[in-house]
Amino acid sequence: MAIKAIIVAMALFFTLFTFLQVAGCSGGDGSQNRPVSDLSSDGDSDSDTDSDSDGDTDGDSDSDSDSDSDGDSDSDSDADEDSEKDTDSNSEDESDTGTDTDSEGSTDTESASEETELILPIKRSGGIFALEMTKGADTLLFECTGDEGGLITTFALNNENILSEKKAPNGYGSTFWIAPQTSWGNWPPPEEIYYEPDSHGSDKTDISVVVDEDTNTIEMTSTTISSLGVKVVKRFSPDMENFAINLEYVIVDDGSSKELAPWEISRVVPGGITFFPTGSGVVKETDSNMKTLPTTDENNVTWMDHTEEYDEGNYRYKADGSDGWLAHTNGDVVFIKSFKDEPFSARPDDQAEIQLFVNGGIYEEVEMMGAQESIPSGGESAWQVKWYLDVFPEEATFEVGDQSLVDYVDARVQ
């Protein structure tokens, strides 16, 4: 009997010992057997496993899995599942940054909303031809007409036209002339490429216009300028990649060879600041009807402040530029012209690569010209320009000499 009692007591002791051991390994609250979605009382899997920005998981899940003697418990796989869920959750939360991570780890950038789109048609009512592009929330609009010598009437960002409008005779829009001015004599420019109501009468100059639908290019061609024996071809096309406009001006010779230069004139309203990289020389004003336009040179940049009021009369400044750009801002937008820089020696007589003209408080002309070169009989000379119109940069200040503004333009035209 004594032996039987001892055996029963040992069995009871072994049973009690086994029960206590199992209860101790379970942690007392049964958390090892809860599903992953229940590991957090508020249902947020981040409380156990957090993914940082580079996709690594923090150590909370490791502390839960240490109870397994071989270090490879089921809780590790649960933590991996939790990490995957948390990483996906973070990717969704970060969608505002424009990046989503798919199940295979590849990254898709939300570029669709930032892609540049061209709004058709190009030919519109009222004899207007338009290159209209959208990119995100911005809309860029370039409009021109075959009337008035092939005038560019609008260059607008989000409905703000940087070009002056019809507030003065021949004091609005953007046009193209041929230099040197002495080649066509006294004012006005040739009627085949320019409309001057006081001199040319009521008949506006008509230029033939063709739209190439394959390249979305507007091409304008003048008749032959009788006084020069050349005609002018203008081509305007969208630069979708840079959210800009390409302009090409071609002087086509119809007779004997001659030396001429391209000349672009864009008119803006008073109240802005015009600036360009300072070149190697200034042309002294010799016209008695012109006053010298005041400018300031700071850190190799020349500035003309048109926020100041000017007395009635005509003011002009002629100088060499450098780096191939000329810019104007009204504090809301920045108008940038990019072109090939030419040496001071390539300028037409008594003119310069950069010319600024102010007609009192009515308008300002932002002008530049290419090199004067020989055009052979039956040959042609082409000149490329690019226009940008951007929102005034947040880091810049609307004042003469602001280096942040210069840096912005430098970066934009690269």
Side-chain angles (χ1 to χ4, degrees), residues 84-331:
E84 290 175 6
K85 290 184 178 182
D86 202 18
T87 302
D88 290 340
S89 173
N90 286 345
S91 295
E92 293 175 1
D93 290 341
E94 293 170 1
S95 61
D96 288 342
T97 66
T99 303
D100 293 327
T101 303
D102 61 24
S103 59
E104 296 179 355
S106 62
T107 300
D108 295 324
T109 302
E110 287 185 358
S111 58
S113 61
E114 292 298 319
E115 288 182 354
T116 302
E117 296 183 4
L118 182 67
I119 307 301
L120 300 175
I122 292 176
K123 184 177 181 179
R124 304 192 177 180
S125 61
I128 294 296
F129 296 82
L131 298 174
E132 184 175 6
M133 294 183 285
T134 62
K135 183 178 181 180
D138 292 327
T139 299
L140 185 68
L141 177 63
F142 174 98
E143 291 182 325
C144 57
T145 175
D147 295 338
E148 304 186 47
L151 188 71
I152 301 168
T153 57
T154 303
F155 192 47
L157 181 67
N158 303 328
N159 297 317
E160 182 165 356
N161 187 9
I162 192 64
L163 300 178
S164 61
E165 299 175 354
K166 292 188 177 182
K167 297 180 180 179
N170 58 269
Y172 55 92
S174 182
T175 190
F176 176 82
W177 295 343
I178 293 175
Q181 185 168 341
T182 54
S183 67
W184 41 267
N186 297 324
W187 186 265
E191 60 183 349
E192 292 86 355
I193 59 171
Y194 184 71
Y195 170 65
E196 217 293 330
D198 293 338
S199 301
H200 296 157
S202 59
D203 293 333
K204 295 184 179 181
T205 302
D206 290 327
I207 287 184
S208 65
V209 184
V210 176
V211 175
D212 185 334
E213 296 182 354
D214 292 332
T215 60
N216 297 311
T217 299
I218 303 168
E219 182 174 286
M220 298 183 168
T221 306
S222 75
T223 57
T224 299
I225 300 171
S226 58
S227 60
L228 295 175
V230 299
K231 62 184 177 182
V232 171
V233 179
K234 306 178 185 182
R235 297 188 183 101
F236 308 133
S237 61
D239 182 342
M240 306 290 281
E241 181 179 355
N242 292 298
F243 201 54
I245 301 294
N246 294 320
L247 305 93
E248 182 180 46
Y249 301 100
V250 185
I251 303 174
V252 182
D253 183 78
D254 277 354
S256 60
S257 63
K258 49 190 65 68
E259 289 193 357
L260 300 171
W263 183 3
E264 185 185 73
I265 301 95
S266 302
R267 305 178 182 99
V268 297
V269 298
I273 298 173
T274 305
F275 56 104
F276 61 92
T278 306
S280 59
V282 176
V283 178
K284 184 179 180 181
E285 184 58 66
T286 59
D287 190 334
S288 60
N289 295 318
M290 295 284 179
K291 303 175 184 178
T292 300
L293 189 62
T295 59
T296 301
D297 289 349
E298 290 190 23
N299 298 323
N300 298 316
V301 176
T302 300
W303 303 79
M304 196 281 285
D305 187 358
H306 204 181
T307 61
E308 300 179 356
E309 293 186 4
Y310 288 88
D311 297 333
E312 292 184 2
N314 298 325
Y315 299 77
R316 188 165 60 185
Y317 180 77
K318 301 179 288 186
D320 184 44
S322 64
D323 297 342
W325 62 259
L326 170 62
H328 176 84
T329 181
N330 60 7

Side-chain angles (χ1 to χ4, degrees), residues 69 88 149-150 312 322 335 342 354:
S69 61
D88 290 340
E312 292 184 2
S322 64
F335 178 25
E342 300 289 356
I354 305 295

